[in-house]
Amino acid sequence: TSSGSGSITVAGVLTIDSGDSLNAGSKDWNLAGSGSPFVITGATFTASTSSFYFKGTSATSVPSTTYNHLIFNPSSGTVTYTLGSGTLNVNGDLTTVDLSTTVNIEANTNDPVVDINGDLTLDNGNWNASATAAMNVGGSFLNNLGGSFTHNNNTLTLDSSDAASITSASAFYNLTFNNSSGDWTLDSNITVERILTITAGTLDGSSRTITLSGTTGNPFVNGDTFTSSTSTVSYTGNNASGNTVV
């Protein structure tokens, strides 16, 4: 167990071997190595209230395990961080930090399930989503400052239990809101290329434009509450099989 606050820097590889365990405590863990700087082999890792910073400046593999806060923060260059197979749980926030670098998060190679309980913030970060595995964000979705989100024809589910906001210059494929306590507000225009679904919760369009380009015939499924405010909903898809439900 790592006790107390402060930080620990690992220049090479942090390894938890079979039969061992690591409780990360409340520390900031700075993993400066590239390649595979964090290796868990049949061991127990407990994130507690720690923050893990991946700072490698060349291609880096990131094990899919349970983190508290997960931050991608290279000091230079354009770096691709490839998420490992399995399930990536983030109890807090996942953030890419803009330090005049470009961070690429690759989730489509090993197709991990991604479950972020807090905010996903992409500052100069590019997220390449899995084409098959589920992705849930339990806080705000903030695609800022030149970041991008590549949906790969998959569904993003927002399941916040509180107030949250959405900012994204990148299009979504299927975008689903699903928590009866959730209250989402658009802080930018958004585009949904297939189906926008409010399963449970409230979506406030604010003063933004929602572009629905889906061709399914029913590109907006509202099962709970949509507050239009002064927003614009633009249906641009052409349903070749018939009419579009509005």
Side-chain angles (χ1 to χ4, degrees), residues 48-90:
S48 293
T49 58
S50 65
S51 297
F52 264 70
Y53 292 80
F54 282 81
K55 295 187 171 184
T57 56
S58 60
T60 299
S61 297
V62 178
S64 287
T65 184
T66 297
Y67 299 89
N68 184 47
H69 297 304
L70 179 59
I71 302 99
F72 298 95
N73 186 21
S75 60
S76 63
T78 297
V79 184
T80 297
Y81 296 93
T82 300
L83 305 181
S85 60
T87 300
L88 176 73
N89 288 308
V90 181

PDB file of all heavy atoms in Angstrom, residues 48-90:
ATOM      1  N   SER A  48      -7.652   2.959  -5.502  1.00  0.00           N
ATOM      2  CA  SER A  48      -8.026   3.858  -4.393  1.00  0.00           C
ATOM      3  C   SER A  48      -8.343   5.239  -4.953  1.00  0.00           C
ATOM      4  O   SER A  48      -9.121   5.362  -5.884  1.00  0.00           O
ATOM      5  CB  SER A  48      -6.933   3.887  -3.329  1.00  0.00           C
ATOM      6  OG  SER A  48      -6.842   2.625  -2.704  1.00  0.00           O
ATOM      7  N   THR A  49      -7.735   6.312  -4.423  1.00  0.00           N
ATOM      8  CA  THR A  49      -8.030   7.674  -4.905  1.00  0.00           C
ATOM      9  C   THR A  49      -6.855   8.256  -5.690  1.00  0.00           C
ATOM     10  O   THR A  49      -6.686   9.468  -5.781  1.00  0.00           O
ATOM     11  CB  THR A  49      -8.375   8.602  -3.728  1.00  0.00           C
ATOM     12  OG1 THR A  49      -7.284   8.635  -2.793  1.00  0.00           O
ATOM     13  CG2 THR A  49      -9.632   8.118  -3.003  1.00  0.00           C
ATOM     14  N   SER A  50      -6.049   7.400  -6.270  1.00  0.00           N
ATOM     15  CA  SER A  50      -4.846   7.832  -6.976  1.00  0.00           C
ATOM     16  C   SER A  50      -5.160   8.434  -8.346  1.00  0.00           C
ATOM     17  O   SER A  50      -6.279   8.336  -8.853  1.00  0.00           O
ATOM     18  CB  SER A  50      -3.898   6.637  -7.162  1.00  0.00           C
ATOM     19  OG  SER A  50      -4.501   5.674  -8.022  1.00  0.00           O
ATOM     20  N   SER A  51      -4.139   9.056  -8.916  1.00  0.00           N
ATOM     21  CA  SER A  51      -4.176   9.516 -10.304  1.00  0.00           C
ATOM     22  C   SER A  51      -2.990   8.888 -11.036  1.00  0.00           C
ATOM     23  O   SER A  51      -1.858   8.948 -10.546  1.00  0.00           O
ATOM     24  CB  SER A  51      -4.080  11.042 -10.384  1.00  0.00           C
ATOM     25  OG  SER A  51      -5.189  11.654  -9.759  1.00  0.00           O
ATOM     26  N   PHE A  52      -3.264   8.301 -12.197  1.00  0.00           N
ATOM     27  CA  PHE A  52      -2.211   7.696 -13.003  1.00  0.00           C
ATOM     28  C   PHE A  52      -1.980   8.555 -14.235  1.00  0.00           C
ATOM     29  O   PHE A  52      -2.900   8.778 -15.025  1.00  0.00           O
ATOM     30  CB  PHE A  52      -2.571   6.263 -13.387  1.00  0.00           C
ATOM     31  CG  PHE A  52      -1.976   5.241 -12.456  1.00  0.00           C
ATOM     32  CD1 PHE A  52      -2.439   5.125 -11.152  1.00  0.00           C
ATOM     33  CD2 PHE A  52      -0.933   4.426 -12.867  1.00  0.00           C
ATOM     34  CE1 PHE A  52      -1.884   4.218 -10.284  1.00  0.00           C
ATOM     35  CE2 PHE A  52      -0.367   3.503 -11.998  1.00  0.00           C
ATOM     36  CZ  PHE A  52      -0.845   3.391 -10.697  1.00  0.00           C
ATOM     37  N   TYR A  53      -0.730   9.020 -14.384  1.00  0.00           N
ATOM     38  CA  TYR A  53      -0.326   9.849 -15.513  1.00  0.00           C
ATOM     39  C   TYR A  53       0.555   9.008 -16.440  1.00  0.00           C
ATOM     40  O   TYR A  53       1.637   8.562 -16.038  1.00  0.00           O
ATOM     41  CB  TYR A  53       0.475  11.056 -15.043  1.00  0.00           C
ATOM     42  CG  TYR A  53      -0.314  12.079 -14.259  1.00  0.00           C
ATOM     43  CD1 TYR A  53      -0.600  11.874 -12.909  1.00  0.00           C
ATOM     44  CD2 TYR A  53      -0.736  13.261 -14.854  1.00  0.00           C
ATOM     45  CE1 TYR A  53      -1.319  12.820 -12.185  1.00  0.00           C
ATOM     46  CE2 TYR A  53      -1.445  14.213 -14.136  1.00  0.00           C
ATOM     47  CZ  TYR A  53      -1.732  13.986 -12.801  1.00  0.00           C
ATOM     48  OH  TYR A  53      -2.439  14.919 -12.082  1.00  0.00           O
ATOM     49  N   PHE A  54       0.100   8.808 -17.669  1.00  0.00           N
ATOM     50  CA  PHE A  54       0.946   8.166 -18.676  1.00  0.00           C
ATOM     51  C   PHE A  54       1.626   9.279 -19.462  1.00  0.00           C
ATOM     52  O   PHE A  54       0.968  10.087 -20.117  1.00  0.00           O
ATOM     53  CB  PHE A  54       0.115   7.270 -19.588  1.00  0.00           C
ATOM     54  CG  PHE A  54      -0.250   5.945 -18.961  1.00  0.00           C
ATOM     55  CD1 PHE A  54      -1.311   5.850 -18.077  1.00  0.00           C
ATOM     56  CD2 PHE A  54       0.492   4.802 -19.244  1.00  0.00           C
ATOM     57  CE1 PHE A  54      -1.646   4.643 -17.487  1.00  0.00           C
ATOM     58  CE2 PHE A  54       0.174   3.584 -18.653  1.00  0.00           C
ATOM     59  CZ  PHE A  54      -0.900   3.502 -17.770  1.00  0.00           C
ATOM     60  N   LYS A  55       2.986   9.284 -19.406  1.00  0.00           N
ATOM     61  CA  LYS A  55       3.740  10.406 -19.954  1.00  0.00           C
ATOM     62  C   LYS A  55       4.729   9.999 -21.043  1.00  0.00           C
ATOM     63  O   LYS A  55       5.551  10.813 -21.469  1.00  0.00           O
ATOM     64  CB  LYS A  55       4.487  11.124 -18.830  1.00  0.00           C
ATOM     65  CG  LYS A  55       3.557  11.790 -17.819  1.00  0.00           C
ATOM     66  CD  LYS A  55       4.325  12.629 -16.816  1.00  0.00           C
ATOM     67  CE  LYS A  55       3.388  13.461 -15.960  1.00  0.00           C
ATOM     68  NZ  LYS A  55       4.129  14.360 -15.043  1.00  0.00           N
ATOM     69  N   GLY A  56       4.671   8.747 -21.482  1.00  0.00           N
ATOM     70  CA  GLY A  56       5.587   8.295 -22.517  1.00  0.00           C
ATOM     71  C   GLY A  56       5.466   9.124 -23.784  1.00  0.00           C
ATOM     72  O   GLY A  56       4.378   9.554 -24.163  1.00  0.00           O
ATOM     73  N   THR A  57       6.583   9.350 -24.469  1.00  0.00           N
ATOM     74  CA  THR A  57       6.606  10.222 -25.640  1.00  0.00           C
ATOM     75  C   THR A  57       6.656   9.451 -26.955  1.00  0.00           C
ATOM     76  O   THR A  57       6.845  10.043 -28.015  1.00  0.00           O
ATOM     77  CB  THR A  57       7.803  11.189 -25.558  1.00  0.00           C
ATOM     78  OG1 THR A  57       9.010  10.438 -25.411  1.00  0.00           O
ATOM     79  CG2 THR A  57       7.649  12.141 -24.376  1.00  0.00           C
ATOM     80  N   SER A  58       6.499   8.140 -26.890  1.00  0.00           N
ATOM     81  CA  SER A  58       6.339   7.330 -28.105  1.00  0.00           C
ATOM     82  C   SER A  58       5.290   6.260 -27.813  1.00  0.00           C
ATOM     83  O   SER A  58       4.750   6.200 -26.707  1.00  0.00           O
ATOM     84  CB  SER A  58       7.675   6.712 -28.539  1.00  0.00           C
ATOM     85  OG  SER A  58       8.212   5.874 -27.530  1.00  0.00           O
ATOM     86  N   ALA A  59       4.986   5.422 -28.800  1.00  0.00           N
ATOM     87  CA  ALA A  59       3.863   4.485 -28.714  1.00  0.00           C
ATOM     88  C   ALA A  59       3.860   3.735 -27.379  1.00  0.00           C
ATOM     89  O   ALA A  59       4.879   3.180 -26.959  1.00  0.00           O
ATOM     90  CB  ALA A  59       3.921   3.507 -29.868  1.00  0.00           C
ATOM     91  N   THR A  60       2.688   3.728 -26.719  1.00  0.00           N
ATOM     92  CA  THR A  60       2.583   3.186 -25.369  1.00  0.00           C
ATOM     93  C   THR A  60       1.333   2.327 -25.252  1.00  0.00           C
ATOM     94  O   THR A  60       0.251   2.705 -25.726  1.00  0.00           O
ATOM     95  CB  THR A  60       2.512   4.336 -24.339  1.00  0.00           C
ATOM     96  OG1 THR A  60       3.711   5.118 -24.419  1.00  0.00           O
ATOM     97  CG2 THR A  60       2.339   3.805 -22.931  1.00  0.00           C
ATOM     98  N   SER A  61       1.475   1.165 -24.607  1.00  0.00           N
ATOM     99  CA  SER A  61       0.338   0.295 -24.309  1.00  0.00           C
ATOM    100  C   SER A  61      -0.149   0.587 -22.892  1.00  0.00           C
ATOM    101  O   SER A  61       0.647   0.753 -21.973  1.00  0.00           O
ATOM    102  CB  SER A  61       0.742  -1.183 -24.415  1.00  0.00           C
ATOM    103  OG  SER A  61       1.131  -1.496 -25.734  1.00  0.00           O
ATOM    104  N   VAL A  62      -1.478   0.617 -22.744  1.00  0.00           N
ATOM    105  CA  VAL A  62      -2.090   0.942 -21.456  1.00  0.00           C
ATOM    106  C   VAL A  62      -2.963  -0.235 -21.039  1.00  0.00           C
ATOM    107  O   VAL A  62      -3.926  -0.575 -21.739  1.00  0.00           O
ATOM    108  CB  VAL A  62      -2.945   2.216 -21.559  1.00  0.00           C
ATOM    109  CG1 VAL A  62      -3.624   2.525 -20.229  1.00  0.00           C
ATOM    110  CG2 VAL A  62      -2.089   3.388 -22.031  1.00  0.00           C
ATOM    111  N   PRO A  63      -2.647  -0.905 -19.924  1.00  0.00           N
ATOM    112  CA  PRO A  63      -3.471  -2.049 -19.519  1.00  0.00           C
ATOM    113  C   PRO A  63      -4.874  -1.608 -19.135  1.00  0.00           C
ATOM    114  O   PRO A  63      -5.070  -0.574 -18.504  1.00  0.00           O
ATOM    115  CB  PRO A  63      -2.713  -2.620 -18.310  1.00  0.00           C
ATOM    116  CG  PRO A  63      -1.884  -1.496 -17.799  1.00  0.00           C
ATOM    117  CD  PRO A  63      -1.538  -0.655 -18.981  1.00  0.00           C
ATOM    118  N   SER A  64      -5.853  -2.395 -19.553  1.00  0.00           N
ATOM    119  CA  SER A  64      -7.241  -2.133 -19.177  1.00  0.00           C
ATOM    120  C   SER A  64      -7.494  -2.745 -17.812  1.00  0.00           C
ATOM    121  O   SER A  64      -7.578  -3.961 -17.658  1.00  0.00           O
ATOM    122  CB  SER A  64      -8.193  -2.700 -20.231  1.00  0.00           C
ATOM    123  OG  SER A  64      -8.156  -1.907 -21.402  1.00  0.00           O
ATOM    124  N   THR A  65      -7.581  -1.884 -16.832  1.00  0.00           N
ATOM    125  CA  THR A  65      -7.840  -2.274 -15.450  1.00  0.00           C
ATOM    126  C   THR A  65      -8.711  -1.186 -14.846  1.00  0.00           C
ATOM    127  O   THR A  65      -9.269  -0.355 -15.568  1.00  0.00           O
ATOM    128  CB  THR A  65      -6.513  -2.473 -14.671  1.00  0.00           C
ATOM    129  OG1 THR A  65      -6.781  -2.950 -13.362  1.00  0.00           O
ATOM    130  CG2 THR A  65      -5.706  -1.191 -14.604  1.00  0.00           C
ATOM    131  N   THR A  66      -8.842  -1.124 -13.528  1.00  0.00           N
ATOM    132  CA  THR A  66      -9.633  -0.082 -12.890  1.00  0.00           C
ATOM    133  C   THR A  66      -8.705   0.990 -12.331  1.00  0.00           C
ATOM    134  O   THR A  66      -7.860   0.719 -11.470  1.00  0.00           O
ATOM    135  CB  THR A  66     -10.499  -0.664 -11.758  1.00  0.00           C
ATOM    136  OG1 THR A  66     -11.427  -1.604 -12.315  1.00  0.00           O
ATOM    137  CG2 THR A  66     -11.280   0.433 -11.058  1.00  0.00           C
ATOM    138  N   TYR A  67      -8.863   2.199 -12.843  1.00  0.00           N
ATOM    139  CA  TYR A  67      -8.121   3.362 -12.373  1.00  0.00           C
ATOM    140  C   TYR A  67      -9.081   4.279 -11.606  1.00  0.00           C
ATOM    141  O   TYR A  67     -10.299   4.145 -11.713  1.00  0.00           O
ATOM    142  CB  TYR A  67      -7.526   4.139 -13.549  1.00  0.00           C
ATOM    143  CG  TYR A  67      -6.549   3.365 -14.389  1.00  0.00           C
ATOM    144  CD1 TYR A  67      -6.989   2.606 -15.481  1.00  0.00           C
ATOM    145  CD2 TYR A  67      -5.187   3.390 -14.122  1.00  0.00           C
ATOM    146  CE1 TYR A  67      -6.095   1.897 -16.268  1.00  0.00           C
ATOM    147  CE2 TYR A  67      -4.279   2.681 -14.906  1.00  0.00           C
ATOM    148  CZ  TYR A  67      -4.742   1.936 -15.978  1.00  0.00           C
ATOM    149  OH  TYR A  67      -3.856   1.235 -16.757  1.00  0.00           O
ATOM    150  N   ASN A  68      -8.515   5.223 -10.874  1.00  0.00           N
ATOM    151  CA  ASN A  68      -9.338   6.292 -10.312  1.00  0.00           C
ATOM    152  C   ASN A  68      -9.380   7.441 -11.315  1.00  0.00           C
ATOM    153  O   ASN A  68     -10.322   7.564 -12.079  1.00  0.00           O
ATOM    154  CB  ASN A  68      -8.808   6.739  -8.948  1.00  0.00           C
ATOM    155  CG  ASN A  68      -9.705   7.785  -8.317  1.00  0.00           C
ATOM    156  OD1 ASN A  68     -10.921   7.629  -8.287  1.00  0.00           O
ATOM    157  ND2 ASN A  68      -9.121   8.868  -7.840  1.00  0.00           N
ATOM    158  N   HIS A  69      -8.331   8.268 -11.366  1.00  0.00           N
ATOM    159  CA  HIS A  69      -8.205   9.251 -12.442  1.00  0.00           C
ATOM    160  C   HIS A  69      -7.118   8.766 -13.393  1.00  0.00           C
ATOM    161  O   HIS A  69      -6.062   8.299 -12.963  1.00  0.00           O
ATOM    162  CB  HIS A  69      -7.836  10.633 -11.906  1.00  0.00           C
ATOM    163  CG  HIS A  69      -8.873  11.237 -11.012  1.00  0.00           C
ATOM    164  ND1 HIS A  69     -10.179  11.428 -11.415  1.00  0.00           N
ATOM    165  CD2 HIS A  69      -8.799  11.704  -9.743  1.00  0.00           C
ATOM    166  CE1 HIS A  69     -10.864  11.982 -10.438  1.00  0.00           C
ATOM    167  NE2 HIS A  69     -10.062  12.148  -9.403  1.00  0.00           N
ATOM    168  N   LEU A  70      -7.372   8.901 -14.691  1.00  0.00           N
ATOM    169  CA  LEU A  70      -6.427   8.445 -15.714  1.00  0.00           C
ATOM    170  C   LEU A  70      -6.131   9.623 -16.627  1.00  0.00           C
ATOM    171  O   LEU A  70      -7.048  10.185 -17.248  1.00  0.00           O
ATOM    172  CB  LEU A  70      -7.021   7.273 -16.501  1.00  0.00           C
ATOM    173  CG  LEU A  70      -6.184   6.676 -17.629  1.00  0.00           C
ATOM    174  CD1 LEU A  70      -4.837   6.165 -17.116  1.00  0.00           C
ATOM    175  CD2 LEU A  70      -6.964   5.538 -18.309  1.00  0.00           C
ATOM    176  N   ILE A  71      -4.838   9.990 -16.717  1.00  0.00           N
ATOM    177  CA  ILE A  71      -4.437  11.185 -17.460  1.00  0.00           C
ATOM    178  C   ILE A  71      -3.348  10.810 -18.448  1.00  0.00           C
ATOM    179  O   ILE A  71      -2.389  10.116 -18.102  1.00  0.00           O
ATOM    180  CB  ILE A  71      -3.912  12.285 -16.501  1.00  0.00           C
ATOM    181  CG1 ILE A  71      -4.981  12.656 -15.461  1.00  0.00           C
ATOM    182  CG2 ILE A  71      -3.496  13.519 -17.276  1.00  0.00           C
ATOM    183  CD1 ILE A  71      -4.784  11.995 -14.120  1.00  0.00           C
ATOM    184  N   PHE A  72      -3.498  11.297 -19.679  1.00  0.00           N
ATOM    185  CA  PHE A  72      -2.482  11.102 -20.710  1.00  0.00           C
ATOM    186  C   PHE A  72      -1.806  12.452 -20.937  1.00  0.00           C
ATOM    187  O   PHE A  72      -2.448  13.414 -21.369  1.00  0.00           O
ATOM    188  CB  PHE A  72      -3.113  10.555 -21.987  1.00  0.00           C
ATOM    189  CG  PHE A  72      -3.748   9.210 -21.792  1.00  0.00           C
ATOM    190  CD1 PHE A  72      -5.107   9.101 -21.515  1.00  0.00           C
ATOM    191  CD2 PHE A  72      -2.992   8.052 -21.858  1.00  0.00           C
ATOM    192  CE1 PHE A  72      -5.701   7.864 -21.311  1.00  0.00           C
ATOM    193  CE2 PHE A  72      -3.574   6.801 -21.645  1.00  0.00           C
ATOM    194  CZ  PHE A  72      -4.930   6.713 -21.375  1.00  0.00           C
ATOM    195  N   ASN A  73      -0.507  12.505 -20.652  1.00  0.00           N
ATOM    196  CA  ASN A  73       0.169  13.789 -20.528  1.00  0.00           C
ATOM    197  C   ASN A  73       1.615  13.711 -21.016  1.00  0.00           C
ATOM    198  O   ASN A  73       2.556  13.912 -20.244  1.00  0.00           O
ATOM    199  CB  ASN A  73       0.111  14.220 -19.044  1.00  0.00           C
ATOM    200  CG  ASN A  73       0.653  15.588 -18.793  1.00  0.00           C
ATOM    201  OD1 ASN A  73       0.735  16.406 -19.692  1.00  0.00           O
ATOM    202  ND2 ASN A  73       1.036  15.856 -17.548  1.00  0.00           N
ATOM    203  N   PRO A  74       1.835  13.436 -22.305  1.00  0.00           N
ATOM    204  CA  PRO A  74       3.212  13.382 -22.804  1.00  0.00           C
ATOM    205  C   PRO A  74       3.830  14.782 -22.827  1.00  0.00           C
ATOM    206  O   PRO A  74       3.126  15.783 -22.993  1.00  0.00           O
ATOM    207  CB  PRO A  74       3.058  12.819 -24.215  1.00  0.00           C
ATOM    208  CG  PRO A  74       1.688  13.260 -24.635  1.00  0.00           C
ATOM    209  CD  PRO A  74       0.851  13.212 -23.385  1.00  0.00           C
ATOM    210  N   SER A  75       5.132  14.836 -22.678  1.00  0.00           N
ATOM    211  CA  SER A  75       5.818  16.131 -22.645  1.00  0.00           C
ATOM    212  C   SER A  75       6.090  16.683 -24.034  1.00  0.00           C
ATOM    213  O   SER A  75       6.345  17.888 -24.187  1.00  0.00           O
ATOM    214  CB  SER A  75       7.131  16.005 -21.866  1.00  0.00           C
ATOM    215  OG  SER A  75       7.988  15.051 -22.475  1.00  0.00           O
ATOM    216  N   SER A  76       6.020  15.816 -25.050  1.00  0.00           N
ATOM    217  CA  SER A  76       6.324  16.289 -26.402  1.00  0.00           C
ATOM    218  C   SER A  76       5.787  15.290 -27.423  1.00  0.00           C
ATOM    219  O   SER A  76       5.479  14.143 -27.096  1.00  0.00           O
ATOM    220  CB  SER A  76       7.840  16.457 -26.595  1.00  0.00           C
ATOM    221  OG  SER A  76       8.505  15.196 -26.466  1.00  0.00           O
ATOM    222  N   GLY A  77       5.678  15.763 -28.660  1.00  0.00           N
ATOM    223  CA  GLY A  77       5.394  14.882 -29.784  1.00  0.00           C
ATOM    224  C   GLY A  77       3.942  14.501 -29.940  1.00  0.00           C
ATOM    225  O   GLY A  77       3.048  14.987 -29.255  1.00  0.00           O
ATOM    226  N   THR A  78       3.710  13.603 -30.889  1.00  0.00           N
ATOM    227  CA  THR A  78       2.408  12.995 -31.138  1.00  0.00           C
ATOM    228  C   THR A  78       2.500  11.549 -30.699  1.00  0.00           C
ATOM    229  O   THR A  78       3.307  10.780 -31.232  1.00  0.00           O
ATOM    230  CB  THR A  78       2.035  13.075 -32.630  1.00  0.00           C
ATOM    231  OG1 THR A  78       1.932  14.448 -33.002  1.00  0.00           O
ATOM    232  CG2 THR A  78       0.721  12.375 -32.907  1.00  0.00           C
ATOM    233  N   VAL A  79       1.695  11.181 -29.714  1.00  0.00           N
ATOM    234  CA  VAL A  79       1.847   9.878 -29.064  1.00  0.00           C
ATOM    235  C   VAL A  79       0.538   9.100 -29.141  1.00  0.00           C
ATOM    236  O   VAL A  79      -0.535   9.644 -28.868  1.00  0.00           O
ATOM    237  CB  VAL A  79       2.262  10.037 -27.582  1.00  0.00           C
ATOM    238  CG1 VAL A  79       2.520   8.663 -26.962  1.00  0.00           C
ATOM    239  CG2 VAL A  79       3.495  10.919 -27.462  1.00  0.00           C
ATOM    240  N   THR A  80       0.640   7.818 -29.507  1.00  0.00           N
ATOM    241  CA  THR A  80      -0.518   6.931 -29.514  1.00  0.00           C
ATOM    242  C   THR A  80      -0.468   6.018 -28.297  1.00  0.00           C
ATOM    243  O   THR A  80       0.524   5.318 -28.074  1.00  0.00           O
ATOM    244  CB  THR A  80      -0.567   6.085 -30.803  1.00  0.00           C
ATOM    245  OG1 THR A  80      -0.726   6.949 -31.927  1.00  0.00           O
ATOM    246  CG2 THR A  80      -1.730   5.090 -30.763  1.00  0.00           C
ATOM    247  N   TYR A  81      -1.539   6.054 -27.515  1.00  0.00           N
ATOM    248  CA  TYR A  81      -1.700   5.179 -26.355  1.00  0.00           C
ATOM    249  C   TYR A  81      -2.766   4.147 -26.710  1.00  0.00           C
ATOM    250  O   TYR A  81      -3.925   4.497 -26.939  1.00  0.00           O
ATOM    251  CB  TYR A  81      -2.129   5.982 -25.131  1.00  0.00           C
ATOM    252  CG  TYR A  81      -1.100   6.987 -24.665  1.00  0.00           C
ATOM    253  CD1 TYR A  81      -1.145   8.306 -25.111  1.00  0.00           C
ATOM    254  CD2 TYR A  81      -0.082   6.625 -23.788  1.00  0.00           C
ATOM    255  CE1 TYR A  81      -0.210   9.228 -24.688  1.00  0.00           C
ATOM    256  CE2 TYR A  81       0.865   7.547 -23.363  1.00  0.00           C
ATOM    257  CZ  TYR A  81       0.793   8.853 -23.822  1.00  0.00           C
ATOM    258  OH  TYR A  81       1.730   9.772 -23.403  1.00  0.00           O
ATOM    259  N   THR A  82      -2.362   2.875 -26.768  1.00  0.00           N
ATOM    260  CA  THR A  82      -3.265   1.799 -27.159  1.00  0.00           C
ATOM    261  C   THR A  82      -3.806   1.104 -25.923  1.00  0.00           C
ATOM    262  O   THR A  82      -3.045   0.588 -25.094  1.00  0.00           O
ATOM    263  CB  THR A  82      -2.550   0.785 -28.059  1.00  0.00           C
ATOM    264  OG1 THR A  82      -2.083   1.456 -29.243  1.00  0.00           O
ATOM    265  CG2 THR A  82      -3.492  -0.338 -28.471  1.00  0.00           C
ATOM    266  N   LEU A  83      -5.135   1.105 -25.804  1.00  0.00           N
ATOM    267  CA  LEU A  83      -5.777   0.470 -24.653  1.00  0.00           C
ATOM    268  C   LEU A  83      -5.774  -1.043 -24.823  1.00  0.00           C
ATOM    269  O   LEU A  83      -6.061  -1.559 -25.901  1.00  0.00           O
ATOM    270  CB  LEU A  83      -7.211   0.977 -24.500  1.00  0.00           C
ATOM    271  CG  LEU A  83      -7.385   2.500 -24.409  1.00  0.00           C
ATOM    272  CD1 LEU A  83      -8.856   2.842 -24.230  1.00  0.00           C
ATOM    273  CD2 LEU A  83      -6.551   3.084 -23.280  1.00  0.00           C
ATOM    274  N   GLY A  84      -5.476  -1.746 -23.743  1.00  0.00           N
ATOM    275  CA  GLY A  84      -5.433  -3.204 -23.786  1.00  0.00           C
ATOM    276  C   GLY A  84      -6.820  -3.817 -23.803  1.00  0.00           C
ATOM    277  O   GLY A  84      -7.841  -3.141 -23.592  1.00  0.00           O
ATOM    278  N   SER A  85      -6.883  -5.108 -24.058  1.00  0.00           N
ATOM    279  CA  SER A  85      -8.162  -5.819 -24.088  1.00  0.00           C
ATOM    280  C   SER A  85      -8.725  -5.956 -22.674  1.00  0.00           C
ATOM    281  O   SER A  85      -8.022  -5.756 -21.684  1.00  0.00           O
ATOM    282  CB  SER A  85      -7.985  -7.201 -24.713  1.00  0.00           C
ATOM    283  OG  SER A  85      -7.054  -7.971 -23.963  1.00  0.00           O
ATOM    284  N   GLY A  86     -10.014  -6.298 -22.597  1.00  0.00           N
ATOM    285  CA  GLY A  86     -10.657  -6.446 -21.295  1.00  0.00           C
ATOM    286  C   GLY A  86     -11.612  -5.300 -21.038  1.00  0.00           C
ATOM    287  O   GLY A  86     -12.337  -4.862 -21.933  1.00  0.00           O
ATOM    288  N   THR A  87     -11.592  -4.780 -19.814  1.00  0.00           N
ATOM    289  CA  THR A  87     -12.463  -3.674 -19.427  1.00  0.00           C
ATOM    290  C   THR A  87     -11.643  -2.574 -18.786  1.00  0.00           C
ATOM    291  O   THR A  87     -10.917  -2.813 -17.810  1.00  0.00           O
ATOM    292  CB  THR A  87     -13.555  -4.136 -18.442  1.00  0.00           C
ATOM    293  OG1 THR A  87     -14.360  -5.143 -19.059  1.00  0.00           O
ATOM    294  CG2 THR A  87     -14.451  -2.972 -18.045  1.00  0.00           C
ATOM    295  N   LEU A  88     -11.754  -1.382 -19.336  1.00  0.00           N
ATOM    296  CA  LEU A  88     -11.114  -0.208 -18.763  1.00  0.00           C
ATOM    297  C   LEU A  88     -12.155   0.531 -17.933  1.00  0.00           C
ATOM    298  O   LEU A  88     -13.101   1.108 -18.478  1.00  0.00           O
ATOM    299  CB  LEU A  88     -10.566   0.714 -19.847  1.00  0.00           C
ATOM    300  CG  LEU A  88      -9.953   2.022 -19.350  1.00  0.00           C
ATOM    301  CD1 LEU A  88      -8.597   1.750 -18.685  1.00  0.00           C
ATOM    302  CD2 LEU A  88      -9.788   3.033 -20.477  1.00  0.00           C
ATOM    303  N   ASN A  89     -11.997   0.481 -16.609  1.00  0.00           N
ATOM    304  CA  ASN A  89     -12.871   1.216 -15.700  1.00  0.00           C
ATOM    305  C   ASN A  89     -12.120   2.424 -15.162  1.00  0.00           C
ATOM    306  O   ASN A  89     -10.980   2.294 -14.700  1.00  0.00           O
ATOM    307  CB  ASN A  89     -13.302   0.341 -14.517  1.00  0.00           C
ATOM    308  CG  ASN A  89     -14.285  -0.736 -14.914  1.00  0.00           C
ATOM    309  OD1 ASN A  89     -15.300  -0.453 -15.531  1.00  0.00           O
ATOM    310  ND2 ASN A  89     -13.985  -1.974 -14.549  1.00  0.00           N
ATOM    311  N   VAL A  90     -12.762   3.579 -15.210  1.00  0.00           N
ATOM    312  CA  VAL A  90     -12.185   4.785 -14.625  1.00  0.00           C
ATOM    313  C   VAL A  90     -13.209   5.320 -13.634  1.00  0.00           C
ATOM    314  O   VAL A  90     -14.282   5.781 -14.030  1.00  0.00           O
ATOM    315  CB  VAL A  90     -11.850   5.839 -15.689  1.00  0.00           C
ATOM    316  CG1 VAL A  90     -11.229   7.069 -15.037  1.00  0.00           C
ATOM    317  CG2 VAL A  90     -10.899   5.263 -16.735  1.00  0.00           C
TER     318      VAL A  90
END
